[in-house]
Amino acid sequence: MHALRIPLIDRPIVSSSETLRAYLHGRLAHQGHECLHVLYLDARNHLLRDETAATGSVSEVTMHPRTILHRALDVGATALIVVHNHPSGDPEPSADDRHATHRLAAAASSLDIRIHDHLIVARRGTISFRAAGLL
């Protein structure tokens, strides 16, 4: 796992979605419960922190914008990539996933913090909210 993380630290991670997806798939796709991770980025899109923001059950995890944004301010992040997994294997976002992402994006915007993407990782693939037009 550490070997995949090294290239992400050395360059802007937003510019290499293939490496990012491989890293996240290896880290989250086979978890037995939902986990919410946040990648905190600086103004040049370099990784500041990759942290678990919440751990949930087999079918849900709660995203707390206040907690995520507080941490973003603490580490000096100007952008975020939010990631969570679906243990069911299906990466399709739920209505709750969409709603929580929009709440986070609205709150982040007021603090001049950009949400680059929200990715859902599952055994059968990864969905990008940005690419799907959901963000």
Side-chain angles (χ1 to χ4, degrees), residues 95-108:
D96 287 341
D97 292 336
R98 290 185 195 123
H99 177 71
T101 302
H102 289 275
R103 283 185 57 229
L104 177 62

Side-chain angles (χ1 to χ4, degrees), residues 9-126:
I9 294 170
D10 291 338
R11 64 174 187 235
I13 65 172
V14 174
S15 68
S16 179
S17 61
E18 188 175 308
T19 302
L20 176 62
R21 284 178 186 243
Y23 166 67
L24 295 171
H25 189 271
R27 184 158 187 193
L28 294 171
H30 299 284
Q31 292 285 329
H33 55 280
E34 288 198 20
C35 298
L36 176 70
H37 284 261
V38 180
L39 306 177
Y40 297 94
L41 308 171
D42 69 12
R44 297 182 55 159
N45 292 327
H46 287 102
L47 181 65
L48 296 171
R49 301 273 194 285
D50 171 1
E51 297 180 352
T52 301
T55 303
S57 69
V58 296
S59 61
E60 67 180 359
V61 65
T62 303
M63 183 186 309
H64 297 285
R66 179 184 173 104
T67 304
I68 292 168
L69 296 173
H70 184 270
R71 183 66 176 144
L73 294 171
D74 280 349
V75 301
T78 59
L80 309 173
I81 297 174
V82 180
V83 185
H84 83 278
N85 65 316
H86 280 179
S88 68
D90 181 6
E92 192 63 33
S94 68
D96 287 341
D97 292 336
R98 290 185 195 123
H99 177 71
T101 302
H102 289 275
R103 283 185 57 229
L104 177 62
S109 176
S110 69
L111 298 171
D112 293 326
I113 296 173
R114 180 164 176 173
I115 308 299
H116 281 314
D117 209 344
H118 179 172
L119 300 167
I120 299 178
V121 177
R123 287 183 302 279
R124 294 192 299 247
T126 301

